[in-house]
Amino acid sequence: MTATTHGRPRPLPGTEAAEHAPEAEILRRTLRRHAAGVVVVTVPGPAGFTATSFTSVSLEPPLVSFYLGRTASTAAAVRAADRFAVHVLGPQNAALARQFARSGIDRFAGVSWTAADDGLPVLDEAPAWLTARVTRRQAIGDHLLVVGQVDGGGGDEGATGLVHHAGAFAAAGTLRPGGGDGRG
């Protein structure tokens, strides 16, 4: 049994076609449709990685979080860090996002950054950034959740954000009032 969405058939939940796909694959396919902001997280070492799992947790106190695969090349550095920096990227930073997403390279090669007193790297070209002190780490599934209390930050409030959607980077934009993208 199928339903039609935008002219394409798709299996209905609970039907045979939906039940044959492993749940992890269903999750992957579905999340490709979810546009997410792109950041680079850095910790002393220096170490860093590109993430789309960054989110705010609370305003009082000011808490943010991100997830990292427990077997990621930067996982040991993240586990050892007392602080982290999150760099909110713009469309002009797509190459930087790709660089920090690659394994087996010096991700900081050719990147301009400034070290805080404790060695925390802050990337100079990020349109916005914040720093946080780790308040919690917890293994969840095959990932590590890291929560931190914001203790600094800065940036350009008018900057356009970089998003990741359907396997590619894109610029976040404002939709026209009342019309979305203009299609029916």
Side-chain angles (χ1 to χ4, degrees), residues 42-45 83-85 113-122 130-132 151:
T42 58
V43 296
R83 293 181 66 225
F84 61 88
W113 58 281
T114 304
D117 291 341
D118 61 357
L120 179 64
V122 177
L130 57 80
T131 58
D151 60 14

Side-chain angles (χ1 to χ4, degrees), residues 62-147:
L63 299 174
V64 295
S65 71
F66 64 87
Y67 286 88
L68 173 68
R70 291 195 294 173
T71 61
S73 61
T74 53
V78 169
R79 281 188 200 96
D82 292 330
R83 293 181 66 225
F84 61 88
V86 175
H87 308 84
V88 179
L89 303 184
Q92 71 279 11
N93 303 119
L96 183 69
R98 285 185 196 94
Q99 182 168 334
F100 274 81
R102 290 185 60 202
S103 292
I105 65 164
D106 175 1
R107 294 175 178 161
F108 287 86
V111 175
S112 178
W113 58 281
T114 304
D117 291 341
D118 61 357
L120 179 64
V122 177
L123 306 181
D124 296 336
E125 295 182 26
W129 57 274
L130 57 80
T131 58
R133 185 156 309 282
V134 174
T135 60
R136 181 178 189 149
R137 287 184 195 85
Q138 182 174 340
I140 298 180
D142 59 0
H143 277 64
L144 177 66
L145 166 66
V146 180
V147 179

Side-chain angles (χ1 to χ4, degrees), residues 1 4 7 9 26-27 34 44 47 52-54 56-58 60 87-88 90 100 104 115 132 135-136 139 151 162 184:
M1 186 178 289
T4 302
I26 292 169
L27 179 61
H34 173 72
T52 57
S53 62
F54 172 71
S56 64
V57 174
S58 168
E60 290 297 328
H87 308 84
V88 179
F100 274 81
T135 60
R136 181 178 189 149
D151 60 14
L162 181 67

